[in-house]
């Protein structure tokens, strides 16, 4: 059974940093065959794209909201993808989800497998 397990969320202050992790297991194909993405959903809002990376980790894509502040990376030997979040703002408060896709896309519809999410709360 496929599992994506996020960790690293928490309560921080404006300007702080967090690194989220997502560990994958049970995928039918080797981990490098999957593009990995991060999405977030704040209360009252739709789920939105945050960042994604290709199977090799060479190609990355960021939503405008995180450009210059967020970095997506992966360690394929550990079947893990990361989201480094710097200079956090209250508007970054959301549940952050990890997802796997066979193609590098921004649309949540392109991602077949999802984690349960990890809460990030940024206080002012």
């Amino acid at each position: 059974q496929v599992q994506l397990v996020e960790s690293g969320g928490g309560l921080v202050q404006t300007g702080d940093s967090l690194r989220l992790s997502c560990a994958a297991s049970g995928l039918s194909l080797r981990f490098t065959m999957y593009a990995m993405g991060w999405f977030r959903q704040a209360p009252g809002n739709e789920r939105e794209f945050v960042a994604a990376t290709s199977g090799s980790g060479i190609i990355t894509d960021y939503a405008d909201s995180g450009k210059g502040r967020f970095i997506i990376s992966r360690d394929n030997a550990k079947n893990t993808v990361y989201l480094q979040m710097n200079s956090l703002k209250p508007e970054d408060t959301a549940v952050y989800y990890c997802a796997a896709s066979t193609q590098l896309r921004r649309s949540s519809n392109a991602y077949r497998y999802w984690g349960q999410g990890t809460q990030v709360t940024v206080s002012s």
Side-chain angles (χ1 to χ4, degrees), residues 19-39:
R19 189 176 77 155
L20 307 183
S21 298
C22 171
S25 63
L27 293 168
S28 296
L29 305 175
R30 59 187 182 274
F31 188 59
T32 54
M33 294 298 295
Y34 294 92
M36 300 296 295
W38 287 96
F39 295 78

Side-chain angles (χ1 to χ4, degrees), residues 47-119:
R47 187 168 298 187
E48 66 175 351
F49 171 78
V50 177
T53 185
S54 63
S56 67
I58 294 174
I59 303 172
T60 57
D61 187 25
Y62 298 92
D64 288 344
S65 60
K67 285 182 179 177
R69 299 188 299 125
F70 294 178
I71 301 171
I72 188 170
S73 62
R74 64 195 295 161
D75 186 340
N76 288 333
K78 297 180 179 179
N79 287 4
T80 300
V81 64
Y82 305 95
L83 182 68
Q84 177 69 42
M85 302 187 293
N86 301 315
S87 302
L88 284 163
K89 308 172 182 178
E91 52 261 46
D92 295 318
T93 295
V95 176
Y96 283 72
Y97 298 90
C98 173
S101 174
T102 55
Q103 296 184 341
L104 183 62
R105 297 279 301 278
R106 287 190 167 200
S107 174
S108 61
N109 293 331
Y111 291 80
R112 182 173 182 178
Y113 304 110
W114 293 82
Q116 293 297 310
T118 185
Q119 177 71 47

